[in-house]
């Protein structure tokens, strides 16, 4: 089922994070409303508040430890002072994560660049590919798509629908054909047509996870055999509305395949935008793209600085 036609105006980061921001400020204001003094109870409540904001237990623990030191260091005592120190520390933490992080997309110095998309079904993988194909085509690149999710009914048609809309060729096989054969055909077509980019859609679920990971490994072998420097990127697509569940998925894929970056979809539909922090903090994977809406241009490159400012900006001014 293709998405509605993109609205002409793209969603801004502030708009896309409305639900997350509202939840953060509500939680924060409720937390600070109980403020009496900086004691043990204060830090326990702080940790719980952070966990509630989807930053993950480990991250919440680390942040609380860091905040203990920071609050003491700055000798913050009044409600306003403490609030300011904590929020500033959170902003700094989000931004620091981005300092040595490579959130750029990698391209081959010559010949086609192959980018593999992995992730469980229903996270928005095919839609992400369609949007990225449109973006790179608009930049003047020749893009091909390979429909290697051959086991899910309708997956190939969904990609073909995007291909039609983007004006991009889709390499596909018969239903239930070996996905690796579609990948091979896609790579050959990319070489023959001197394409700039080949995006590969992969299955999100086979009989079990072992099969799924073996399938991905096989695809990578086929790609590398034809193009030794490829794939440049293995992008894991996660649905941010699933919160902590997305982290579990990320662990599974990261342990079994060389994920190079994350695409976090549906941020506009959730209050769980805080999930970006543990993904980067605990998994050490860069978030490269974030999805903020239905439109093609609503898939945007992730910028840690901008994200932190948007998420906490109102609290800093408050």
């Amino acid at each position: 089922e293709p998405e509605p036609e993109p609205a002409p105006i793209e969603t801004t980061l502030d708009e896309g994070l409305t639900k997350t921001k509202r939840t953060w400020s509500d939680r924060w204001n409720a937390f600070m409303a109980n403020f009496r003094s900086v004691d043990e109870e204060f830090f326990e409540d702080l940790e719980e508040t952070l966990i509630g904001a989807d930053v993950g237990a480990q991250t919440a623990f680390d942040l609380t430890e860091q905040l203990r030191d920071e609050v003491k260091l700055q000798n913050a005592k009044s409600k306003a002072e403490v609030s300011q120190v904590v929020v500033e520390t959170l902003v700094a933490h989000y931004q620091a994560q981005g300092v040595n992080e490579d959130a750029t997309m990698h391209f081959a110095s010559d010949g086609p660049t192959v980018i593999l998309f992995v992730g469980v079904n229903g996270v928005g993988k095919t839609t992400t590919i369609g949007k990225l194909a449109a973006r790179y085509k608009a930049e003047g690149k020749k893009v091909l798509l390979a429909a290697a999710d051959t086991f899910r009914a309708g997956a190939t048609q969904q990609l073909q629908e995007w291909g039609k809309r983007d004006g991009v060729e889709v390499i596909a096989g018969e239903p239930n054909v070996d996905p690796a054969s579609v990948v091979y055909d896609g790579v050959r077509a990319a070489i023959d047509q001197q394409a700039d980019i080949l995006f590969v859609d992969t299955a999100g679920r086979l009989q079990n996870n072992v099969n799924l990971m073996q399938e991905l490994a096989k695809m990578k072998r086929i790609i590398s055999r034809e193009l030794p420097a490829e794939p440049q990127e293995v992008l894991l697509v996660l649905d941010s509305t699933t919160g902590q569940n997305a982290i579990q998925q990320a662990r599974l894929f990261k342990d079994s395949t060389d994920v190079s970056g994350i695409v976090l979809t549906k941020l506009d539909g959730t209050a769980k935008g805080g999930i970006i922090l543990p993904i980067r903090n605990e998994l050490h994977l860069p978030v490269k793209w974030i999805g903020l809406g239905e439109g093609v241009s609503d898939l945007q490159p992730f910028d840690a600085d901008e994200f932190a400012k948007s998420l906490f900006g109102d609290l800093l001014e408050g």
Side-chain angles (χ1 to χ4, degrees):
E1 191 60 8
E3 294 182 309
E5 282 304 312
I9 298 154
E10 65 179 57
T11 308
T12 65
L13 193 55
D14 279 350
E15 289 162 354
L17 291 178
T18 306
K19 289 186 181 172
T20 296
K21 288 167 66 150
R22 195 178 304 132
T23 306
W24 257 109
S25 353
D26 290 353
R27 283 182 196 285
W28 190 246
N29 295 333
F31 168 65
M32 285 315 290
N34 289 331
F35 179 83
R36 283 174 306 283
S37 66
V38 180
D39 52 16
E40 192 43 47
E41 199 181 331
F42 170 83
F43 288 109
E44 278 172 19
D45 288 353
L46 175 61
E47 195 173 334
E48 267 173 44
T49 302
L50 290 169
I51 291 174
D54 281 290
V55 304
Q58 186 57 49
T59 305
F61 176 76
D62 295 345
L63 273 171
T64 306
E65 288 307 293
Q66 187 185 344
L67 287 161
R68 280 175 196 274
D69 299 341
E70 205 55 46
V71 170
K72 279 188 199 127
L73 193 70
Q74 302 199 25
N75 200 16
K77 290 211 173 48
S78 76
K79 194 169 179 162
E81 284 172 340
V82 172
S83 182
Q84 194 69 9
V85 172
V86 174
V87 175
E88 278 172 8
T89 308
L90 285 172
V91 172
H93 197 83
Y94 266 76
Q95 292 175 336
Q97 287 277 290
V99 173
N100 296 316
E101 187 173 76
D102 183 3
T104 61
M105 291 285 279
H106 293 203
F107 293 95
S109 47
D110 72 347
T113 293
V114 182
I115 296 174
L116 215 54
F117 288 80
V118 302
V120 302
N121 293 339
V123 292
K125 235 182 354 223
T126 309
T127 301
T128 295
I129 294 171
K131 290 179 179 180
L132 280 177
R135 174 185 276 263
Y136 285 113
K137 189 186 176 201
E139 287 178 14
K141 293 197 175 355
K142 179 168 175 55
V143 180
L144 289 180
L145 309 179
D149 184 359
T150 58
F151 298 113
R152 183 166 65 88
T156 297
Q157 290 89 320
Q158 194 189 355
L159 198 65
Q160 283 166 331
E161 196 54 54
W162 271 106
K164 251 193 254 142
R165 189 188 301 177
D166 293 343
V168 163
E169 188 189 340
V170 178
I171 312 297
E174 295 301 308
N176 296 323
V177 70
D178 180 6
S181 68
V182 179
V183 173
Y184 176 79
D185 292 345
V187 171
R188 290 313 314 170
I191 294 168
D192 296 344
Q193 297 182 31
Q194 297 182 321
D196 295 303
I197 307 174
L198 171 69
F199 287 132
V200 181
D201 195 6
T202 67
R205 187 172 292 116
L206 293 174
Q207 294 83 341
N208 60 43
N209 289 327
V210 175
N211 288 17
L212 178 58
M213 298 312 164
Q214 285 171 344
E215 197 60 62
L216 292 173
K218 187 172 165 188
M219 286 181 193
K220 287 185 75 173
R221 280 199 304 276
I222 285 170
I223 295 166
S224 307
R225 199 170 64 213
E226 303 300 314
L227 293 165
E230 301 301 316
Q232 286 282 331
E233 298 274 2
V234 177
L235 295 180
L236 171 60
V237 184
L238 297 173
D239 172 348
S240 56
T241 63
T242 63
Q244 291 299 316
N245 198 13
I247 301 260
Q248 294 313 110
Q249 289 168 25
R251 284 207 177 91
L252 179 76
F253 277 93
K254 189 188 176 194
D255 290 346
S256 325
T257 185
D258 308 323
V259 176
S260 60
I262 303 274
V263 181
L264 203 52
T265 62
K266 311 180 196 180
L267 265 173
D268 55 311
T270 183
K272 297 176 187 289
I275 204 72
I276 280 186
L277 197 54
I279 284 173
R280 296 153 76 220
N281 220 7
E282 295 171 32
L283 299 166
H284 308 292
L285 285 171
V287 174
K288 296 201 173 192
W289 297 91
I290 52 176
L292 298 169
E294 298 284 342
V296 165
S297 55
D298 289 333
L299 185 69
Q300 295 172 17
F302 175 69
D303 177 314
D305 237 34
E306 292 303 312
F307 188 85
K309 283 183 196 134
S310 177
L311 191 54
F312 302 114
D314 302 350
L315 291 176
L316 276 174
E317 288 148 26

